[in-house]
């Protein structure tokens, strides 16, 4: 099965948050739970970047190791999901996640996170967020392609190599 | 099971009182007794007060006190949400749909009338129990709000009636 | 839970309608099902949040919109939507939306008074409105009615004209009126399409449509940057537009005209302009000596201290712009539209476009090529309109060029109602405008309290709804049918269908229906077809579709979704400014004839920092929300629930303000309190607050009482002040305030 990854190109992000709205409506995510969130980072020099963050489906997923009931599992495409039936709501996954990806669902008393829209991916579509991004700031492709295109680290953002996240960044600016 | 079912009359009157702001349009069978039937009869002589109270409680653009639709009581309040689709699915499995297609199907009044009909038709208890859990049990929150907010005796009686429906239905659902 | 066949069988096979129910109520509210399973389809329509109206595909289950995405092939969104458009269904299914017509029972009218609404029928509502409005016209003249509404759709305009309404007031003074007024006499009209893709150099003056997430603008600037085209962003604060630009140059608020004048100076002095275009298509040579001597003093060195941009930077940009024959998109909907020198700014900017030879040229600012969709007056000729007599409540009649384009004015309305002509307005029809859109909204509340009878037609229970006597629930774009032409990326005509993807819910009605029903009651002769039948919205739409060549019927157009008529782009060689001999006007004699300046002069904006109010107040519309209408939408509310005040860390330190501290912001007309957000993206002399928050209506479950109204700090205007400030294009000047701050 193909393995996938995510590519963020911050110079293209205009904070329109279509990715967030796409995720909410496709996955019927309730109020208060934000599986994908555009976060704005400002350096001490006043340089601002906007990044659409969510679960990065790390190869070495600390959340998975931290979960006491093994509620987090990985599908054949490499996507990590939380099994709501098993989750005890202890929030250990969130404590160990470097990306604020697992979110507390107060109504169901479980943790939730991005599962990479497996229904869409199986149907040959992009995950909702990447499909609806108008600028190409958020892209989804096979991990081999992403690894070739982007770099692993970017200013302003914590991106510990230890979890081996499936995310890369475009640092090149526009031509000219 | 039948012993613990709420009475058809109670369900029918409560359902109508939620759907209808004019008490004169609620059919109260002759001989029907109980506080809600009594309050509806009394209100039929002075319907305006009920209509105003209905608007204030359920429809007021200046702040609805108790929303009539199940979807609005979900974690993410909205009209025509998942509860609407689920209610439509229940109705359709039994060959029914709401007459008003321009309003959500998860109106508590409709949900109660449908519940009454399932019981009346002798649908097995595990099915009505599942329906109760899907579409009636949520009304506990609605009812407590209604009890707090209602100023007209008809709606206080209605709140008590729905509360006893919830109590008997809850027994049955187990 | 799955229901098995056994259960269905036991339920009685024929279903629940085989025998009558015990008390007959079941059959009164439910009927035999018309289908056994959900009906799911994908429908084409257009967004309704902002003017580009990007194309959408809506997944609909049993008439309920469940997923909204962009429409490939649409010239505006080009297959995408912003976050607002994507959240349309959540906006649509807001539980707080207005559902039925209501009337007020509590005569006390105030933001904190419970109106005591009771439900009424549409018939009662329409009859009451017709009786009241008819009575006011009869007893007090048409001047006694205020229509607070845009001049669309065409049916509404017909009603307004048929009644002889002199006081139709809209918000465009705080949007594009000054630019429209200037453009009419310079280029001949709305050169508002931008060919970013083919631009050679782009200068943005306060233009912020990338950050406002207007998708055609976002994609246009992105396309230019991908090709390596230089984009300069002059702005008071750094935004998403600045990040996408090649250069972000912070400027003193309200000083953009100084930069534009100095760029013109450089281009003229160094002869860096499109000689061919200027010679053939403008009045440059007719007025060359006046023009050259007029701009001679406006050197980069002169401009630099005014705008805080180094002279060599202005000179370089002027040269680069001139050599590249650059484009500077119109300032509509942007910061620079909202100072009292906006008319001058607009004129200077048009001159830059003319000197660049980019008026209606590829790579420049061009007129939209659209399908010609006839209005109702063409389809169904009407009787002659009565003359419009009476006093103009906002004093617009004093501003010739604003009157001429028939827009505005919000900024002077409250003053007109309270001071100039108190008691003149007896009845008001408010079409989806909220008091928060006005400068000094509380003054507008006071003005509305002087009106006897207020009707508000809206989607959500806004603060204005709470002040109204009759409230009418409006439909959403998901419940409407229309033809939407592409007006921004429009090198050749393209039209996209707007169709009702859902049935009208509850008792919401569209504007067309409302207007026809009022027309029948108030001016029936104007709402009949030539054969004497009442005009119907659907027949009218069929007729428009046919005459625009989009299909034999609206249904046929709907089935196509998009209709386009590709044609090569033929640049215009004859321009339509009045009495200008087919040329564009740099020097505008008509301005001079009316006592104004024929060429743009430098004017300071109205309010300057002082000891009492040392900071510039800048407000903006964040990309996440559509003005003051979407704050209650659950998805958008979650993204941006409230507003904050953005202050530079150095400024904050001077006042002992730390991140998150409550800050009191005060101006000469009011004060608000907001939490501090410290950021180096604003100048040290700027205090930045987003618009749209501070809803008081408690029925807005999410938005009520979150944040503060920016308008409370913004002084309104009088027509006399506009004239004294040479703001003859009538800018509402909502950026033109100065404030002080302190830890609350």
């Amino acid at each position: 099965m193909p393995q996938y990854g995510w590519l963020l190109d911050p110079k293209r992000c205009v904070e329109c948050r279509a990715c967030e709205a796409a995720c909410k409506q496709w996955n019927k995510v309730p109020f208060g739970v934000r599986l994908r969130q555009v976060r704005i980072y400002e350096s001490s020099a006043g340089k601002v970047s906007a990044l659409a963050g969510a679960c990065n489906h790390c190869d070495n997923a600390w959340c998975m190791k931290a979960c006491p009931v093994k509620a987090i599992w990985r599908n054949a495409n490499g996507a990590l999901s939380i099994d709501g039936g098993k989750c005890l709501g202890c929030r250990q996954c969130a404590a160990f996640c470097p990306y604020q990806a697992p979110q507390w669902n107060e109504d169901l008393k479980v943790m939730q996170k991005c599962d990479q829209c497996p229904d869409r991916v199986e149907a040959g579509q992009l995950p909702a967020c990447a499909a609806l991004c108008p600028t190409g700031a958020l892209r989804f492709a096979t991990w081999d392609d992403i690894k070739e295109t982007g770099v692993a680290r970017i200013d302003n953002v914590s991106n510990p190599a230890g979890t081996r996240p499936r995310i890369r960044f475009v640092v090149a600016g526009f031509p000219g | 099971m039948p012993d613990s079912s709420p009475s058809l009359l109670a369900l029918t009157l409560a359902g109508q009182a939620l759907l209808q702001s004019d008490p004169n349009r609620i059919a109260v069978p002759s001989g029907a007794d109980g506080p809600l039937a009594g309050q509806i009869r009394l209100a039929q002589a002075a319907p305006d007060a009920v209509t105003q109270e209905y608007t204030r409680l359920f429809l007021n653009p200046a702040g609805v006190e108790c929303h009539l639709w199940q979807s609005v009581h979900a974690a993410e309040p909205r009209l025509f949400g998942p509860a609407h689709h689920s209610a439509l699915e229940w109705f359709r499995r039994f060959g029914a749909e709401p007459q008003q297609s321009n309003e959500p199907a998860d109106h508590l009044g409709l949900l109660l009338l449908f519940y009454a009909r399932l019981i009346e038709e002798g649908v097995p208890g595990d099915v009505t129990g599942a329906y109760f859990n899907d579409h009636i049990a949520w009304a506990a929150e609605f009812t407590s709000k209604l009890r707090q907010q209602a100023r007209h005796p008809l709606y206080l009686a209605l709140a008590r009636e729905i509360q006893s429906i919830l109590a008997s239905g809850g027994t049955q659902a187990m | 839970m799955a229901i098995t066949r056994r259960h269905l069988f036991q339920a009685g096979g024929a279903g629940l309608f085989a025998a009558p129910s015990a008390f007959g109520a079941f059959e009164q509210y439910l009927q035999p099902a018309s289908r056994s399973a959900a009906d799911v389809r994908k429908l084409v329509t257009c967004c309704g949040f902002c003017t580009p109206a990007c194309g959408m595909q809506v997944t609909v289950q049993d008439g309920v919109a469940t997923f909204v995405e962009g429409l490939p092939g649409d010239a505006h969104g080009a297959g995408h939507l912003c976050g607002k458009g994507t959240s349309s269904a959540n906006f649509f299914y807001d539980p707080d939306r207005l559902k039925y017509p209501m009337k007020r029972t509590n005569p006390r009218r105030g933001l904190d008074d419970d109106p005591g609404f009771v439900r009424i029928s549409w018939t009662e509502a329409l009859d009451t409105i017709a009786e009241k409005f008819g009575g006011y016209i009869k007893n007090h003249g048409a001047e006694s009615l205020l229509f607070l509404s845009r001049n669309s759709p065409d049916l509404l305009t017909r009603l307004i004209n048929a009644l002889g309404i002199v006081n139709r007031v809209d918000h465009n003074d705080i949007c594009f009126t000054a630019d429209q007024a200037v453009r009419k006499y310079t280029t001949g009209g709305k050169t508002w399409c931008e060919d970013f893709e083919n631009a050679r150099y782009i200068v943005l003056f306060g233009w912020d449509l990338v950050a406002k997430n207007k998708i055609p603008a976002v994609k246009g600037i992105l396309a230019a940057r991908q090709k390596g085209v230089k984009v300069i962003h002059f702005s008071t604060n750094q935004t998403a537009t600045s990040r996408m630009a090649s250069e972000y140059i912070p400027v003193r608020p309200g000083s953009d005209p100084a930069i534009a004048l100095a760029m013109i100076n450089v281009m003229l002095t160094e002869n860096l302009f499109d000689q061919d275009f200027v010679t053939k298509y403008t009045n440059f040579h007719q007025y060359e000596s006046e023009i050259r001597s007029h701009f001679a003093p406006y050197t980069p060195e002169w401009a630099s201290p005014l705008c805080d941009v180094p002279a060599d930077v202005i000179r370089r940009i002027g040269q680069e712009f001139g050599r590249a024959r650059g484009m500077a998109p119109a300032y509509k909907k942007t910061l620079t539209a909202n100072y009292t020198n906006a008319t001058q700014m607009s004129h200077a900017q048009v001159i830059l476009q003319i000197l660049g030879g980019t008026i209606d040229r590829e790579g420049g600012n061009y007129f939209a090529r659209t399908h010609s969709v006839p209005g109702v007056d063409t389809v169904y000729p009407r009787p002659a309109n009565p003359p419009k007599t009476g006093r103009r409540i906002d004093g617009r009649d004093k501003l010739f060029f604003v009157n001429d384009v028939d827009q505005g004015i919000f900024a002077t309305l409250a003053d007109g109602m309270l001071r100039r002509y108190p008691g003149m307005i007896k009845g008001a029809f408010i079409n989806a405008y909220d008091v928060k859109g006005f400068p000094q909204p509380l003054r507008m509340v006071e003005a509305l309290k002087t009106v006897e009878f207020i009707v508000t037609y809206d989607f959500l229970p806004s603060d204005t709804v709470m002040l109204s006597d009759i409230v009418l629930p409006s439909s959403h774009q998901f419940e409407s049918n229309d033809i939407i032409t592409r007006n921004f990326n429009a090198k050749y005509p393209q039209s996209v269908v707007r169709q009702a993807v859902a049935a009208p819910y509850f008792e919401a009605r569209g504007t067309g229906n409302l207007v026809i029903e009022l027309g029948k009651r108030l001016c029936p002769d104007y709402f009949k077809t030539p054969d004497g039948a009442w005009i119907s919205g659907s027949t009218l739409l069929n007729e428009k579709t046919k005459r625009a060549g989009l299909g034999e019927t609206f249904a046929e157009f709907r089935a196509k979704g998009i209709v386009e008529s590709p044609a090569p782009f033929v640049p215009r060689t004859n321009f339509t400014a009045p009495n200008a001999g087919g040329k564009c006007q740099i020097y505008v004699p008509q301005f001079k004839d009316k006592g104004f300046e024929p060429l743009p002069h430098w004017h300071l904006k109205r309010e300057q920092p002082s000891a009492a109010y040392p900071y510039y107040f800048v407000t903006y519309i964040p990309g996440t929300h559509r003005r003051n209408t979407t704050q209650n939408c659950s998805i958008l509310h979650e993204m941006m629930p409230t507003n904050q005040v953005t202050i530079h860390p150095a400024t904050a330190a001077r006042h002992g303000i730390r991140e998150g501290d409550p800050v009191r912001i005060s101006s000469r007309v009011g004060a608000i309190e907001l939490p501090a957000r410290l950021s180096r993206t604003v100048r040290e002399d700027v205090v930045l607050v987003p618009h749209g928050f501070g809803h008081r209506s408690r029925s807005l479950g999410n938005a009520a009482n979150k944040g503060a109204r920016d308008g409370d700090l913004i002084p309104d205007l009088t027509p006399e002040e506009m004239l004294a400030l040479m703001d003859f294009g009538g800018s509402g000047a909502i950026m033109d305030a100065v404030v002080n701050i302190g830890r609350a």
Side-chain angles (χ1 to χ4, degrees), chain A residues 35-96:
Chain A
L35 305 186
R36 186 164 288 285
Q37 280 185 57
V38 174
R39 297 191 178 93
I40 314 297
Y41 302 89
E42 183 176 337
S43 73
S44 53
K47 183 176 159 34
V48 172
S49 35
L51 292 165
C55 174
N56 293 321
H57 304 277
C58 305
D59 280 342
N60 180 26
W62 292 347
C63 60
M64 214 172 168
K65 291 182 177 161
C67 178
V69 291
K70 309 251 174 288
I72 300 180
W73 60 284
R74 189 186 298 277
N75 77 7
N77 295 127
L80 292 167
S81 302
I82 298 177
D83 182 339
K86 286 187 185 168
C87 175
L88 300 175
C90 73
R91 312 192 200 196
Q92 282 295 310
C93 51
F96 280 86

Side-chain angles (χ1 to χ4, degrees), chain C residues 75-142:
Chain C
H76 277 180
H80 289 104
L81 302 168
C82 67
K84 299 181 285 288
T86 310
S87 305
S88 296
N90 276 66
F91 180 80
F92 182 36
Y93 296 115
D94 189 324
D96 300 325
R97 79 173 280 187
L98 298 171
K99 303 176 186 75
Y100 308 97
M102 297 274 169
K103 74 173 176 195
R104 176 183 209 93
T105 57
N106 179 5
R108 264 185 67 95
R109 206 196 293 283
L111 284 182
D112 294 320
D113 294 310
D114 182 342
F117 284 124
V118 294
R119 182 175 165 183
I120 54 173
S121 68
W122 266 98
T123 306
E124 183 185 341
L126 291 161
D127 289 347
T128 310
I129 297 166
E131 189 201 321
K132 289 275 191 186
F133 282 9
Y136 293 135
I137 293 174
K138 188 161 165 261
N139 299 322
H140 305 284

Side-chain angles (χ1 to χ4, degrees), chain C residues 440-457:
Chain C
Q440 287 183 260
L442 293 178
R443 194 153 189 243
M444 196 58 218
V445 170
E446 290 310 308
L448 287 174
K449 283 186 190 172
T450 67
V451 178
E452 285 177 18
F453 179 69
I454 300 174
V455 179
T456 297
Y457 171 67

Side-chain angles (χ1 to χ4, degrees), chain A residues 12-18 20-21 24-26 31-32 34 42 44 46 48 50 131-135 174-175, chain C residues 66-68 80-81 83 86-87 210 213 218-219 222 225-226 228 238 243-244 634-635 637-639 679-681:
Chain A
R12 291 167 177 268
C13 181
V14 298
E15 304 165 45
C16 81
R17 301 175 192 268
E20 291 190 35
K24 299 225 55 147
Q25 61 164 345
W26 183 263
F31 192 66
R34 300 174 72 184
E42 183 176 337
S44 53
V48 172
L132 270 61
C133 172
T135 62
F174 291 110
Chain C
T66 56
F67 191 71
V68 182
H80 289 104
L81 302 168
T86 310
S87 305
V210 170
N213 304 153
V218 169
K219 292 204 171 191
L222 191 58
R225 293 293 287 126
Q226 278 175 286
Q238 191 199 126
R243 299 204 299 270
M244 204 174 267
S634 59
I635 291 182
H637 177 78
E638 193 177 69
M639 294 171 185
S679 170
R680 288 178 172 77
T681 56

Side-chain angles (χ1 to χ4, degrees), chain C residues 635-707:
Chain C
I635 291 182
L636 301 175
H637 177 78
E638 193 177 69
M639 294 171 185
M640 187 175 188
T642 183
N643 54 356
Q644 297 167 311
V645 52
T646 304
I647 311 167
H648 192 280
T651 308
R654 282 200 293 280
H655 292 273
I657 294 167
R658 288 161 308 175
E659 179 80 23
D661 280 352
V663 178
R664 184 183 148 86
I665 314 155
S666 54
S667 78
R668 66 179 168 90
V669 295
I672 59 174
E673 196 179 304
L674 284 172
R677 177 180 155 256
L678 307 192
S679 170
R680 288 178 172 77
T681 56
V682 294
R683 288 165 53 99
E684 289 188 31
D685 55 1
V686 164
V687 168
L688 181 73
V689 171
H691 173 72
F693 297 90
H695 295 264
R696 289 278 285 281
S697 168
R698 69 184 182 99
S699 47
L700 295 169
N702 290 329
N705 293 314
K706 303 250 170 72

